[in-house]
Amino acid sequence: MSIPTPESSSPPYNALGISQDDKTMAMLAHLLGIVTGFVGPLVIWLIKKDQSKFVAYHAMQALFFQLALNIGMFVLGITIILAVAAPLIWVAGIVFC
């Protein structure tokens, strides 16, 4: 019995039929969110939504994540501004009135 070498072994079975390009585009949709916010996943979703369900799904997931992240940052930013501004306004009212 011979030991199979990497050249003679068959490639891994892809049961879902997802191409390497689809996997790359799905990964790119997630990674572009770091640099471009929600714009990168949105562009990939708009381009690939009719061509690949796999890419469309992952681009939409990245888009939803980026939008949720932006909403959370906005809400926390307002909360922090109010938490800092309220005591300053109170102190200013005591000092100047």
Side-chain angles (χ1 to χ4, degrees):
M1 182 189 307
S2 66
I3 299 173
T5 61
E7 297 86 28
S8 66
S9 63
S10 62
Y13 180 69
N14 189 353
L16 299 175
I18 301 168
S19 70
Q20 188 63 37
D21 289 339
D22 286 347
K23 291 177 185 178
T24 303
M25 289 301 289
M27 179 188 65
L28 189 61
H30 288 285
L31 292 178
L32 277 176
I34 297 170
V35 179
T36 64
F38 71 91
V39 176
L42 178 63
V43 168
I44 289 180
W45 181 76
L46 288 172
I47 291 172
K48 292 288 191 174
K49 67 180 177 181
D50 297 327
Q51 298 172 7
S52 170
K53 288 182 181 181
F54 181 78
V55 176
Y57 173 80
H58 282 278
M60 188 61 65
Q61 291 293 311
L63 180 62
F64 285 154
F65 176 76
Q66 290 299 323
L67 289 176
L69 190 67
N70 286 337
I71 290 169
M73 287 174 36
F74 177 76
V75 169
L76 289 175
I78 296 297
T79 303
I80 289 171
I81 289 171
L82 291 177
V84 170
L88 291 177
I89 293 170
W90 179 71
V91 169
I94 292 174
V95 170
F96 295 114
C97 289

